[in-house]
Amino acid sequence: MLSEGFSQFLVISLVIALGITFGYLLEPDENLPVQYRVYSSILGWTYFFAWSVSFYPQLIHNYLRGTSRGLSIDFVMLNTIGFLCYSIFTVCMYYIPLFKDEYGARHDGNVIKVSISDVYFAIHAFILTLITWIQALYYDGHYQIPSQIGFLVSFGFCVFCAVYILFILESVNNNRDPYNWYYFIYVIA
């Protein structure tokens, strides 16, 4: 068995090696100055792997124990909602020209700096937090009940989103601009 310190060293080394490898091999962001592209790509992918590694111990721990007791269901619930929102934001800002153009129009022509590693991290984090939530419900659904505050915050956020979407739809139908999808994803992110 490896010592804890050596195991940590191996994980950190693997994260850095993967970050450097992906940063060099995958296309860097064309919107950055040439001298920064590779560095930004390496840092982005290192960030992706470093943060991604942090999700797995809890999943493995829950699985091996067959329980999620001791894990705050409020944290898991809010984290899942947060990463869903972050995923929506990064996907829209990276892939959809309408959002990129709107950002540029509102920020003196500047380009949003969302990279592909940001998109992959957001989606990956959402999936892993959702799996953690499913584990908590599966193993301890009758014990793991959200607090009133956690429930109210989550429910209130969902109501806010639903009402905002209704305002967007009404605004589009009446050719007014105060509520639009760009602001919506910006607010939820």
Side-chain angles (χ1 to χ4, degrees):
M1 194 75 184
L2 299 174
S3 72
E4 185 176 331
F6 189 67
S7 296
Q8 291 171 350
F9 171 76
L10 285 177
V11 169
I12 291 169
S13 299
L14 182 62
V15 163
I16 292 170
L18 286 170
I20 291 170
T21 303
F22 274 64
Y24 271 116
L25 294 179
L26 298 177
E27 257 183 66
D29 184 359
E30 297 297 321
N31 296 317
L32 293 173
V34 175
Q35 67 269 27
Y36 299 124
R37 289 178 185 170
V38 173
Y39 298 120
S40 176
S41 185
I42 289 171
L43 289 173
W45 284 106
T46 303
Y47 155 94
F48 169 85
F49 287 110
W51 279 105
S52 293
V53 164
S54 72
F55 290 96
Y56 286 95
Q58 186 66 55
L59 288 170
I60 295 166
H61 187 67
N62 292 347
Y63 175 76
L64 293 176
R65 289 183 5 179
T67 184
S68 63
R69 287 194 185 180
L71 177 64
S72 167
I73 195 69
D74 287 346
F75 170 77
V76 174
M77 180 176 60
L78 294 171
N79 220 16
T80 304
I81 293 168
F83 280 119
L84 172 63
C85 294
Y86 185 50
S87 296
I88 291 168
F89 176 81
T90 58
V91 166
C92 288
M93 288 302 206
Y94 188 79
Y95 287 108
I96 302 174
L98 171 75
F99 291 100
K100 292 179 183 183
D101 295 343
E102 185 72 26
Y103 180 88
R106 294 177 188 275
H107 295 92
D108 299 323
N110 290 316
V111 178
I112 186 99
K113 302 291 192 259
V114 174
S115 69
I116 192 67
S117 60
D118 297 326
V119 174
Y120 286 156
F121 170 73
I123 293 169
H124 186 244
F126 168 67
I127 290 168
L128 293 179
T129 55
L130 182 62
I131 292 170
T132 305
W133 196 1
I134 291 168
Q135 281 183 325
L137 294 172
Y138 177 76
Y139 291 133
D140 301 303
H142 51 287
Y143 294 113
Q144 291 278 34
I145 300 169
S147 70
Q148 286 181 333
I149 295 289
F151 177 78
L152 287 173
V153 167
S154 299
F155 182 75
F157 180 74
C158 292
V159 168
F160 167 79
C161 289
V163 169
Y164 203 105
I165 289 170
L166 290 174
F167 278 126
I168 291 171
L169 297 174
E170 188 274 332
S171 184
V172 168
N173 289 337
N174 293 323
N175 294 325
R176 288 184 287 159
D177 190 33
Y179 300 100
N180 62 39
W181 293 110
Y182 171 80
Y183 281 135
F184 177 71
I185 66 161
Y186 224 77
V187 167
I188 66 169

